[in-house]
């Protein structure tokens, strides 16, 4: 079968193997144990299991966040804190990560991930990786996240840095239509 000349000009193969990476960002696929009454997703085992799956992570706080329909919450940057994010499979957010660590081997790399959307997973976000999200559902979406540093509003203890939501360009938040 041959494509017509206009289709030939625009035609490209989808590359499902090409993956942008950011040093120390981990995506951990989780298992959803489903039966007729619902499901169970084990988010995290503490103790030695945390070191085996995530690395050196001293759990200090567990947080819950809701993002209203269509909202963008970005960009957060921590100099000390590591985040581990989980979005319930029934919700759906676009997570944008950008390596802003000077001299990192992946400095400048930008990674876009969909969290939720029926697929349970954790994302480990190390210090120096800017992160933000956009709710892709027509209802609030939720994030449960684990941190290794306590939240504080005191200036000498605060690690809640910010970059503007448009810092990497407004188009970063657009839905790709491939």
């Amino acid at each position: 079968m041959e494509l017509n000349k206009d289709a030939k000009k625009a035609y490209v193969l989808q590359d499902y193997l090409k993956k942008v990476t950011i040093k120390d960002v981990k995506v951990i696929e989780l298992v959803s144990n489903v039966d007729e009454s619902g499901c169970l997703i084990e988010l995290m085992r503490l103790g030695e299991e945390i070191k085996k799956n995530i690395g050196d992570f001293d759990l200090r706080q567990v947080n819950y966040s809701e993002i209203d329909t269509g909202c963008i919450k970005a960009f957060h940057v921590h100099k000390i804190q590591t985040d581990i994010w989980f979005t319930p499979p029934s919700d759906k957010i676009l997570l944008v990560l950008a390596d802003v660590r000077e001299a990192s081997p992946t400095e400048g790399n930008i990674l876009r991930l969909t969290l939720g959307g029926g697929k349970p997973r954790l994302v480990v976000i190390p210090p120096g990786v800017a992160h933000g999200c956009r709710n892709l559902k027509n209802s609030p979406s939720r994030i449960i996240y684990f941190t290794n540093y306590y939240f504080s509003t005191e200036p000498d203890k605060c690690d809640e840095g910010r970059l503007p939501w448009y810092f990497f360009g407004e188009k970063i938040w657009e839905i790709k239509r491939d």
Side-chain angles (χ1 to χ4, degrees):
M1 188 274 311
E2 283 292 317
L3 300 176
N4 68 35
K5 66 178 179 163
D6 291 335
K8 279 182 186 177
K9 287 180 196 173
Y11 181 81
V12 294
L13 284 175
Q14 179 71 42
D15 186 354
Y16 291 99
L17 299 176
K18 182 180 174 186
K19 300 281 186 216
V20 174
T21 60
I22 295 178
K23 184 180 183 316
D24 302 321
V25 168
K26 295 178 186 162
V27 178
I28 301 164
E29 304 297 332
L30 301 175
V31 175
S32 182
N33 299 290
V34 179
D35 65 18
E36 62 274 3
S37 66
C39 76
L40 166 77
I41 301 170
E42 188 177 289
L43 298 183
M44 183 182 298
R45 289 185 180 194
L46 303 178
E48 289 303 309
E49 290 291 316
I50 230 178
K51 287 186 177 165
K52 204 169 19 171
N53 295 316
I54 294 170
D56 191 23
F57 184 82
D58 187 13
L59 179 62
R60 297 289 178 160
Q61 191 165 325
V62 179
N63 301 306
Y64 170 88
S65 181
E66 285 191 3
I67 303 114
D68 287 335
T69 302
C71 284
I72 296 170
K73 294 185 88 165
F75 277 99
H76 303 97
V77 182
H78 307 291
K79 292 182 177 181
I80 301 167
Q81 178 174 301
T82 296
D83 284 11
I84 301 174
W85 282 27
F86 171 79
T87 295
S90 57
D91 296 346
K92 191 172 183 182
I93 66 165
L94 170 64
L95 172 61
V96 177
L97 304 170
D99 190 348
V100 295
R101 298 170 291 183
E102 189 171 358
S104 165
T106 56
E107 180 183 357
N109 282 8
I110 295 175
L111 178 60
R112 292 167 41 111
L113 299 167
T114 302
L115 295 184
K119 190 172 186 177
R121 55 186 173 175
L122 297 175
V123 177
V124 179
I125 307 167
V129 173
H131 50 285
C133 60
R134 175 183 172 194
N135 182 2
L136 300 177
K137 284 194 68 165
N138 290 327
S139 59
S141 283
R142 297 151 300 177
I143 302 168
I144 297 169
Y145 61 104
F146 309 89
T147 68
N148 64 346
Y149 192 77
Y150 294 115
F151 174 81
S152 178
T153 57
E154 296 175 40
D156 62 332
K157 295 179 184 173
C158 183
D159 191 36
E160 293 294 315
R162 297 280 189 267
L163 294 172
W165 69 273
Y166 53 84
F167 190 79
F168 302 100
E170 292 181 25
K171 291 185 186 240
I172 198 81
W173 299 110
E174 292 181 6
I175 304 305
K176 293 190 176 183
R177 308 223 185 265
D178 294 335

